[in-house]
Amino acid sequence: MKIPHAILSALLLSALLPAGRSAPLGAVPKEDKGEKHKRAANAFFAGEIPRLKVELPPEDLERLKKDERNYADAMVTETTPAGPLIYQKVSVKLKGSAGSFQHLDGKPGLTLSFDKQKGADRFHGMKKIHLNNGAQDGTYLMELIAGDMARMAGVPASRCSHAFVEINGRDLGLYVVKEAFTKDFLEPFYKNVEGDLWDGGFCQEVNENSERDQGDPQDKAPLKELIAACQEGDAGKRWERLGKVLDVEKFITYCAMEDILCHWDGYNFNRNNYRFYRDPDSGKFAFFLHGMDQTFGDANFPVMRDWPSMVGKAVMGGPQGPAMYKARIASLHENVLLKEDWPARVSAEGKRVQNAIAAKDGRWAKEYQNVINDARNRVASRISTVGKQLGILPKPAVFDLTGAVKLNKGWTFEPSGGGFGSEVKLEGRDCLHLTTPEGGSPSWRAVVHLDAGKYRLDAQARTRGVVPAEDEKGKGAGLRISGGAKRLNTIEGDTAWKQLSYEFETPGGDIPLVAELRAQKGEVWFALDSLRIVRAK
């Protein structure tokens, strides 16, 4: 929500004054504009999902239809709980390329500029935003999660949020709101934001008509130095020359993140969706991730593979390139992929979108739960596969002094023939929820690495309206391990919280755990604080 400047200034002043004192009338501290814009942008990406109404006068609408890639004038109205915010002087054009581009009569991707016209107001502190139509990502979550991972790794990437969009009264539905590549974007990553910013274009190399978004378009000398360094025939000399014009460590991190994210449509594998910036202070180039709506598409995407790009080949063909890459991707696995509960992050962002959808379309909101689960599973599977490809052995579960290990993280949903899964609160407890209105066997699954021995899987669960469907694996709601004996524990009908247990023996290894519902209809809640593995005596 955009806070009026007068209120924001008063709040800031009250925080600076000693307790019990009032501000003299008119004594408002002058706020740094840059900090104000930064704070406003931060609040937007963490705030509520708005509705944006884009209105073009008839003549500008026709102009945009005839020339989709050039700006036309528009007005944007943002609906907020505090009332509408109106941006009068906005410039809009269509965006996207093969796969995502749609014409104005479809669901077009849009670029909105809030600084091309004199006297225009910024949008939550930003001069420009992109509205991505989700044509290549029905989850509307992949670019957001991939960007968060990239920034945690130190690779510049745009922040994302969401909005519902209308154009001249036509409801176009949900969009991804993406931060544009401006000087404001550069500030968190560089002390000097006055350098050259290049757009590599559509499926082309850095030496194939790259366009300069910032800087002198006639000064191509630094870019020519980068190209010449990449084309140096002697590996030793090439490495030395690259070190003078390319931030090699940052580039290797960038490439490792492309691999981790399965970003096949990025620079290294398709020469697409990338920007590169020359830092004036160091004189070196670095690459930015972009266009990540198709990430996490292949859990088995290799993390060790040839890079066909010109810069990638030059670096990996250097004497230190491969060793630096291997060390870096192992470090990213440990310090980025495993430091954050990314599946839970997907669920949280998905729930934020789902809640906004529910206010508009209850049926779509219910269907979107399976979309969230799919996105969560894709991210979880990729993280697991990266570790396996790196040859990192899973660590055995760590048991506490009571001989138990808690299982409140790492669960993924599997629809298995029908039903829905979600993470909810019930009676103040965080729960894994399953429901099947027309039959199915949905489940929540997790993997734990155990030494050889006997164990027991425990949980507390409660049900409502469960009509069991019996098969070879069990009936109603219950616990088991995948591939294990038929479970005897079962809950059906309407039950209060009940303790469930499943005993098993293993020679050691990765054990897939299952909390499931096998029913003609009904629902079950498994309390996360009660899920645990216990050593059997």
Side-chain angles (χ1 to χ4, degrees):
M1 182 175 69
K2 190 174 182 181
I3 303 174
H5 177 69
I7 296 176
L8 180 60
S9 297
L11 290 172
L12 288 169
L13 180 59
S14 65
L16 294 171
L17 289 170
R21 287 187 59 185
S22 299
L25 187 63
V28 179
K30 190 173 183 180
E31 185 181 15
D32 176 77
K33 283 187 177 181
E35 287 301 314
K36 172 187 172 184
H37 297 325
K38 188 185 303 181
R39 190 160 35 251
N42 291 343
F44 172 78
F45 287 110
E48 298 181 16
I49 295 175
R51 177 177 296 278
L52 302 179
K53 297 181 179 181
V54 181
E55 299 176 75
L56 295 101
E59 62 273 16
D60 285 286
L61 183 65
E62 289 303 314
R63 183 183 302 119
L64 192 58
K65 286 180 179 179
K66 294 176 181 178
D67 190 358
E68 297 170 321
R69 298 295 190 170
N70 280 323
Y71 285 105
D73 295 343
M75 180 178 75
V76 173
T77 302
E78 176 187 5
T79 58
T80 74
L85 296 174
I86 299 175
Y87 303 85
Q88 294 280 3
K89 299 178 179 181
V90 184
S91 301
V92 58
K93 68 176 180 179
L94 272 58
K95 68 175 291 291
S97 55
S100 65
F101 182 82
Q102 293 188 28
H103 297 290
L104 203 56
D105 57 357
K107 186 182 179 181
L110 302 170
T111 294
L112 303 183
S113 175
F114 296 85
D115 76 333
K116 294 189 79 66
Q117 301 181 50
K118 187 175 181 180
D121 293 322
R122 290 185 177 220
F123 180 82
H124 296 272
M126 292 177 281
K127 292 182 178 181
K128 183 191 291 186
I129 60 171
H130 301 300
L131 300 178
N132 289 357
N133 58 14
Q136 294 178 302
D137 176 24
T139 73
Y140 296 88
L141 297 172
M142 293 296 98
E143 181 116 28
L144 187 156
I145 296 299
D148 283 358
M149 281 189 179
R151 290 189 300 278
M152 189 171 177
V155 179
S158 297
R159 292 175 293 178
C160 293
S161 185
H162 300 85
F164 295 99
V165 177
E166 293 181 14
I167 296 182
N168 281 31
R170 189 163 66 93
D171 189 347
L172 300 181
L174 185 65
Y175 276 71
V176 175
V177 182
K178 183 177 173 182
E179 184 180 24
F181 293 105
T182 64
K183 290 181 180 179
D184 294 331
F185 166 86
L186 294 170
E187 280 186 354
F189 307 103
Y190 292 95
K191 292 181 179 179
N192 191 335
V193 298
E194 300 298 328
D196 301 332
L197 178 62
W198 295 83
D199 179 351
F202 177 64
C203 294
Q204 57 184 18
E205 265 293 358
V206 295
N207 60 345
E208 297 174 2
N209 301 314
S210 293
E211 295 182 3
R212 196 188 305 242
D213 289 340
Q214 179 179 303
D216 182 359
Q218 304 304 318
D219 181 15
K220 295 187 177 181
L223 181 56
K224 290 180 179 178
E225 288 180 29
L226 174 64
I227 295 167
C230 291
Q231 294 173 342
E232 168 64 54
D234 182 274
K237 291 180 180 179
R238 180 172 65 246
W239 187 259
E240 183 180 353
R241 292 182 67 176
L242 280 171
K244 295 178 180 179
V245 294
L246 176 71
D247 192 319
V248 175
E249 289 190 2
K250 286 184 177 179
F251 181 75
I252 286 176
T253 303
Y254 165 89
C255 294
M257 287 307 301
E258 279 201 336
D259 287 346
I260 286 171
L261 298 170
C262 324
H263 191 24
W264 65 268
D265 200 23
Y267 172 65
N268 262 315
F269 307 111
N270 203 32
R271 269 76 72 206
N272 196 29
N273 288 317
Y274 68 100
R275 300 289 192 277
F276 53 109
Y277 177 72
R278 183 175 178 270
D279 179 7
D281 292 344
S282 68
K284 296 180 180 181
F285 284 98
F287 283 61
F288 302 166
L289 285 162
H290 176 50
M292 297 181 286
D293 50 351
Q294 297 183 80
T295 48
F296 303 105
D298 178 6
N300 296 311
F301 194 89
V303 295
M304 301 286 189
R305 61 186 294 171
D306 291 336
W307 298 342
S309 69
M310 182 179 73
V311 183
K313 278 183 179 180
V315 170
M316 286 300 279
Q320 301 175 42
M324 288 177 65
Y325 173 78
K326 289 178 182 179
R328 189 59 181 144
I329 202 162
S331 173
L332 292 171
H333 175 261
E334 181 71 22
N335 296 302
V336 175
L337 298 190
L338 301 185
K339 286 288 185 183
E340 178 89 6
D341 188 346
W342 291 107
R345 178 95 167 86
V346 173
S347 293
E349 289 297 335
K351 181 61 69 175
R352 175 173 171 268
V353 174
Q354 186 182 40
N355 290 340
I357 292 173
K360 189 170 184 278
D361 186 334
R363 181 175 180 180
W364 180 20
K366 187 175 182 179
E367 293 172 349
Y368 189 72
Q369 182 60 56
N370 278 348
V371 175
I372 297 171
N373 294 334
D374 175 63
R376 178 190 176 112
N377 291 352
R378 283 166 58 183
V379 171
S381 296
R382 181 55 182 165
I383 292 171
S384 175
T385 302
V386 169
K388 291 177 182 177
Q389 289 186 12
L390 293 175
I392 297 172
L393 296 176
K395 297 178 181 178
V398 178
F399 288 80
D400 61 23
L401 294 177
T402 68
V405 58
K406 295 180 179 179
L407 302 170
N408 55 356
K409 294 181 179 180
W411 292 88
T412 59
F413 174 71
E414 173 59 54
S416 299
F420 302 91
S422 59
E423 295 179 79
V424 300
K425 277 190 178 292
L426 180 66
E427 298 175 356
R429 304 178 79 178
D430 291 324
C431 298
L432 301 177
H433 179 233
L434 296 171
T435 180
T436 177
E438 299 178 354
S441 51
S443 63
W444 284 94
R445 296 171 181 251
V447 175
V448 62
H449 191 78
L450 299 173
D451 293 329
K454 294 182 179 180
Y455 299 90
R456 188 180 74 243
L457 172 60
D458 287 344
Q460 292 178 13
R462 67 172 300 170
T463 59
R464 182 165 63 195
V466 172
V467 178
E470 186 169 5
D471 60 25
E472 74 281 0
K473 296 179 182 178
K475 65 178 182 178
L479 305 172
R480 65 183 176 90
I481 67 168
S482 182
K486 176 180 178 178
R487 62 178 173 81
L488 300 176
N489 59 79
T490 181
I491 311 181
E492 54 188 79
D494 299 315
T495 66
W497 291 109
K498 180 178 179 180
Q499 185 71 26
L500 291 174
S501 295
Y502 180 87
E503 295 185 353
F504 62 96
E505 186 172 0
T506 175
D510 289 344
I511 309 301
L513 311 174
V514 183
E516 66 182 352
L517 175 64
R518 293 181 174 272
Q520 299 175 48
K521 64 178 181 178
E523 55 188 330
V524 60
W525 294 262
F526 296 95
L528 271 171
D529 60 9
S530 69
L531 280 156
R532 64 178 190 161
I533 290 282
V534 180
R535 293 187 192 275
K537 297 180 180 179

